[in-house]
Amino acid sequence: MTSRIADVDRNTLETQVRVCLNLDGVGRGVFETGVPFLDHMLDQVARHGLIDLEVRAKGDLHIDAHHTVEDIGITLGQAVEKALGDKKGIRRYGHVYIPLDEALSRVVIDFSGRPGLSYNVSFPRDRIGEFDVDLFLEFFRGFVNHAKVTLHIDNLKGQNAHHIAETVFKAFGRAMRMAIEPDSRMQDLVPSTKGMI
C-alpha cells in the first residue's frame, strides 16, 4: 500500500482552512482553529484513530464558529478521501462503542463512496464552555459529504455533555481507524462487488 498522505487547503471569504494528514501515523496532532473545544475533539480523532493530523484555520469567529467548524469538517473529509485514493485493500467498514464514565456512544462507518449521515446525539445543554453543540452536526455533515462515507453516530447514554462529545469523537476516530486499516486478505482488491467505490 502506498503512502496515504494528503494536504488540502480550503479558502473562502469566510474561512481559510488547511488540513495535513497521514492515515498511517502514530496519533500526533497539531491544532490551531481558534475553537478550543473543537481542537480537543480533533485531538481525540488523531489519537484514537492513529492518524497524524494537522488542522489550522482562520475564520469569521467574530460572527460565530459555524463557518469555521463546518469548513474544517469539509476539508478533513476532502483530505481523507484524497489520502485513501481508490480504497484498494482497506477493510471499508468500522464500528466501535466507546464509554466515558456514564456516557456511551456508537459510531459505524462505511467508506462506501456515497455520503450519508445518521446523527442521533442529544446534549443536556446547548454549550460546552463557549462551544455550541449544534455545530457537531455541521462538522460531521461536512465530513460525510466530502469524504463520501456513510456514517451512523448514536449516543446511547450520558448526562454530561463533555463526556457525550468525547465518546462520539473517540468512537469516530477509532471506527475510522478500523475501516481504513489494510486488510491482508483484500490486498489489491477494492472492497466492493462493483470493483470500485
Side-chain angles (χ1 to χ4, degrees):
M1 195 169 273
T2 59
S3 295
R4 301 189 299 170
I5 296 170
D7 189 341
V8 176
D9 289 292
R10 176 180 171 82
N11 295 300
T12 74
L13 296 177
E14 298 165 339
T15 65
Q16 296 81 50
V17 179
R18 182 173 191 190
V19 173
C20 305
L21 60 76
N22 177 357
L23 297 180
D24 301 303
V26 296
R28 285 194 203 99
V30 177
F31 309 104
E32 294 177 8
T33 70
V35 186
F37 194 74
L38 182 63
D39 291 351
H40 180 45
M41 294 299 100
L42 292 170
D43 195 31
Q44 304 303 325
V45 175
R47 190 77 47 98
H48 295 280
L50 284 181
I51 296 166
D52 290 345
L53 180 59
E54 180 180 339
V55 181
R56 298 184 192 273
K58 290 183 181 175
D60 52 2
L61 296 177
H62 60 286
I63 297 173
D64 69 7
H66 186 287
H67 299 139
T68 302
V69 174
E70 179 181 33
D71 284 7
I72 288 169
I74 288 169
T75 313
L76 178 61
Q78 290 171 331
V80 168
E81 200 212 8
K82 181 179 178 182
L84 277 176
D86 61 13
K87 301 183 182 75
K88 283 183 181 176
I90 66 168
R91 295 187 184 281
R92 178 176 165 175
Y93 304 99
H95 53 90
V96 177
Y97 289 81
I98 294 288
L100 175 57
D101 297 342
E102 88 299 344
L104 177 65
S105 292
R106 175 184 60 218
V107 172
V108 182
I109 193 166
D110 173 13
F111 280 83
S112 61
R114 297 180 307 279
L117 177 63
S118 175
Y119 180 86
N120 297 293
V121 183
S122 296
F123 289 93
R125 53 193 163 114
D126 295 335
R127 293 190 170 273
I128 302 172
E130 297 299 311
F131 189 88
D132 178 354
V133 298
D134 285 348
L135 298 182
F136 290 132
L137 175 58
E138 302 308 319
F139 171 85
F140 286 114
R141 185 180 286 137
F143 175 82
V144 159
N145 287 336
H146 293 271
K148 298 179 185 156
V149 300
T150 302
L151 181 65
H152 288 250
I153 300 174
D154 297 284
N155 174 246
L156 305 176
K157 2 172 128 167
Q159 288 100 40
N160 181 299
H162 189 133
H163 292 174
I164 291 168
E166 201 161 314
T167 59
V168 164
F169 276 83
K170 285 178 176 176
F172 173 59
R174 192 73 186 205
M176 187 156 54
R177 174 180 163 187
M178 180 187 291
I180 65 177
E181 278 181 339
D183 183 342
S184 61
R185 295 181 67 195
M186 291 298 291
Q187 294 187 359
D188 290 328
L189 299 175
V190 175
S192 171
T193 54
K194 296 179 182 70
M196 62 176 290
I197 295 179

